[in-house]
Amino acid sequence: MIGLYHPADSPLHRAPVGLKLAVLLGAMVVLFGVGGPVVVTVALVVTVVAYAVAKIPWRLGLAQLRPVLWVIGVAAGFHLFTSGPQHAAVVAGQLLVAVALAALLTLTTRVSAMLRVFETAARPFRPLGVDPARVALLLALTIRCVPLLINILGTVREARQARGVGRNPLALVTPAVVRALRTADELGEALAARGVDD
Amino acid sequence: MTQAEIAVDRVTHRYGDRTVLEEVTVRLTEHRVGVIGANGSGKSTFARLLNGLVLPSAGTVTVDGLDTRRDGKAVRRKVGFIFTDPDAQIVMPTVAEDIAFGMRRLKLPEEQVRQRVAELIARFGLSGLEDHPAHLLSGGQKQLLALAAVLAPEPDILVCDEPTTLLDLRNTRRFSALLETLEQRVVLVTHHLELLENFDRVLVFDEGRLIEDTKPAVAVATYRKLMT
Ligand SMILES: Nc1ncnc2c1ncn2[C@@H]1O[C@H](COP(=O)(O)OP(=O)(O)OP(=O)(O)O)[C@@H](O)[C@H]1O
Ligand SMILES: [Mg+2]
């Protein structure tokens, strides 16, 4: 889900990142602050239209939602029992729209452009000792580390299955932590080699 | 004028009380230098000494007149380093962004950065992958990206620590063919002996000592004898 920029020629791709972020933030405030069936319905329609405007293939659009569907399902299920079907539908709609809009931002924005915005946003804090370039680097590394960690967990899980080790979570965590630490070590070395000095 | 020379002078290196390199002295001026030896013989430690990632416990390492201990930053600018695992050296989320990384740190003008990124992407066969998430590349593509990214800020020397160990035969050949085209001086640590055929000089390490320093054919023969 992260870093999956989908190149296309659309007004949403051309819009300044700062503006997109502001709109996203505003939409979230209305969506969760005001809420209610009407707002959520309108938001759903607007989201679908926005995806169409951005020329995102519908398959790719749906793929953005797949990883969070179970979370939404659990949340909706919970509300179904505690506060009824209408509220459950509203909650599900809110979460769906929130994820879809956030995904739309990453689909229409290059990571580099996003990083530059954060770098600019961090600039006023320079007198407080904040290094804007470092903030951007930190964010980039965070984005970079998610697939690395997922990859490590996947490899360790496979190795564990291959050796027939049971469901003991310690057997997953220990080698995963060891590998993650080693990868962090190597990444640190690579950063130093590429001129990031502490 | 300082001469173009890597000078390793009576270098000993210890991790704790374990000596992994002992009294190594060597001067490298050649265009292509290979480094071979058994696992644990100290090759990686030697390679890391050349750009100051590892500082010697005793002795000095200077690169074109710059001491790795005193001028670490300048040395790292001069010496690019390629690691074995491409995954661990790609630091930015996308291909273009990772290539631009080193140049951005040097605060080069944006126009120049863009042009150089485009150039390297074409040269390294990564066209069309500019905004592709780096983690979705194949292992071979990742190592090509790592090479492009390290070359982007134009180092004078390239040190590679087993860059092809995790690659298949085709990518190994591609990587070494690209390496051959570089005008930079290259120090290549490898277990792929066939890559060293046309090298100017090959060093053989054994248990922390530099035991042979000669032409590739002779060095490889020494190494093979060592392995029996
Ligand atoms: N950070 C470290 N801390 C402690 N010991 C280390 C460290 N790095 C390497 N060593 C030890 O130093 C010795 C030389 O290691 P080095 O990595 O230089 O060997 P190498 O020739 O590159 O081996 P390989 O072919 O396996 O990569 C090894 O015995 C290793 O265990
Ligand atoms: Mg090694």
Side-chain angles (χ1 to χ4, degrees), chain A residues 71-145:
Chain A
V71 180
I72 295 175
V74 169
F78 174 75
H79 283 282
L80 187 63
F81 288 109
T82 54
S83 44
Q86 190 190 343
H87 191 67
V90 167
V91 168
Q94 280 173 323
L95 292 174
L96 217 55
V97 168
V99 172
L101 285 181
L104 187 60
L105 180 71
T106 63
L107 284 168
T108 60
T109 313
R110 287 190 165 83
V111 177
S112 46
M114 201 97 83
L115 292 176
R116 215 105 318 129
V117 164
F118 283 108
E119 199 170 334
T120 314
R123 229 166 260 163
F125 299 99
R126 213 195 304 247
L128 303 176
V130 176
D131 177 356
R134 199 149 281 249
V135 172
L137 175 62
L138 207 64
L139 268 163
L141 282 176
T142 311
I143 299 173
R144 172 74 190 106
C145 281

Side-chain angles (χ1 to χ4, degrees), chain A:
Chain A
M1 176 160 125
I2 288 159
L4 283 178
Y5 174 70
H6 178 77
D9 184 25
S10 87
L12 272 162
H13 284 78
R14 284 189 299 268
V17 196
L19 179 66
K20 283 192 271 191
L21 272 168
V23 170
L24 179 65
L25 206 67
M28 296 292 171
V29 169
V30 174
L31 188 63
F32 288 98
V34 182
V38 179
V39 168
V40 170
T41 311
V42 172
L44 272 170
V45 174
V46 169
T47 305
V48 172
V49 171
Y51 267 78
V53 169
K55 300 182 189 161
I56 307 294
W58 62 273
R59 258 175 207 287
L60 184 59
L62 289 181
Q64 308 303 309
L65 301 175
R66 202 176 310 128
V68 289
L69 277 182
W70 67 273
V71 180
I72 295 175
V74 169
F78 174 75
H79 283 282
L80 187 63
F81 288 109
T82 54
S83 44
Q86 190 190 343
H87 191 67
V90 167
V91 168
Q94 280 173 323
L95 292 174
L96 217 55
V97 168
V99 172
L101 285 181
L104 187 60
L105 180 71
T106 63
L107 284 168
T108 60
T109 313
R110 287 190 165 83
V111 177
S112 46
M114 201 97 83
L115 292 176
R116 215 105 318 129
V117 164
F118 283 108
E119 199 170 334
T120 314
R123 229 166 260 163
F125 299 99
R126 213 195 304 247
L128 303 176
V130 176
D131 177 356
R134 199 149 281 249
V135 172
L137 175 62
L138 207 64
L139 268 163
L141 282 176
T142 311
I143 299 173
R144 172 74 190 106
C145 281
V146 172
L148 272 182
L149 282 175
I150 291 174
N151 193 356
I152 287 172
L153 276 173
T155 315
V156 170
R157 193 179 305 124
E158 274 168 14
R160 193 181 57 156
Q161 276 164 359
R163 288 173 51 195
V165 185
R167 296 214 159 270
N168 180 1
L170 215 68
L172 178 63
V173 171
T174 316
V177 167
V178 169
R179 283 215 34 192
L181 286 177
R182 201 173 63 211
T183 303
D185 219 35
E186 289 171 355
L187 200 59
E189 231 185 356
L191 279 168
R194 290 180 66 180
V196 181
D197 304 295
D198 287 325

Side-chain angles (χ1 to χ4, degrees), chain B residues 55-69:
Chain B
L55 296 172
S57 310
T60 57
V61 179
T62 56
V63 180
D64 299 358
L66 297 168
D67 186 312
T68 56
R69 190 183 298 282

Side-chain angles (χ1 to χ4, degrees), chain A residues 2-5 7 110-113 115-116 131 133-134 136-137 139-141 143-144 147-148 151 179 183 186-197, chain B residues 48 51 53-54 73 76 79-81 83 85-94 97-99 101-102 104-105 107 110 131-136 142 149-150:
Chain A
I2 288 159
L4 283 178
Y5 174 70
R110 287 190 165 83
V111 177
S112 46
L115 292 176
R116 215 105 318 129
D131 177 356
R134 199 149 281 249
L137 175 62
L139 268 163
L141 282 176
I143 299 173
R144 172 74 190 106
L148 272 182
N151 193 356
R179 283 215 34 192
T183 303
E186 289 171 355
L187 200 59
E189 231 185 356
L191 279 168
R194 290 180 66 180
V196 181
D197 304 295
Chain B
R48 281 163 169 74
N51 75 338
L53 273 181
V54 167
K73 214 169 167 167
R76 275 186 286 282
V79 184
F81 201 104
F83 297 84
D85 183 359
D87 245 325
Q89 50 192 321
I90 296 169
V91 297
M92 296 306 259
T94 66
E97 206 46 31
D98 195 61
I99 298 179
F101 175 77
R104 292 242 162 81
R105 296 215 57 90
K107 307 235 184 303
E110 190 55 26
D131 295 306
H132 199 75
H135 69 272
L136 296 181
K142 279 182 191 163
V150 167

Side-chain angles (χ1 to χ4, degrees), chain B residues 15 18 20 38-45 162 191:
Chain B
Y15 287 113
R18 193 135 172 249
V20 297
N39 290 134
S41 57
K43 304 180 299 294
S44 293
T45 308
E162 298 190 38
H191 291 294

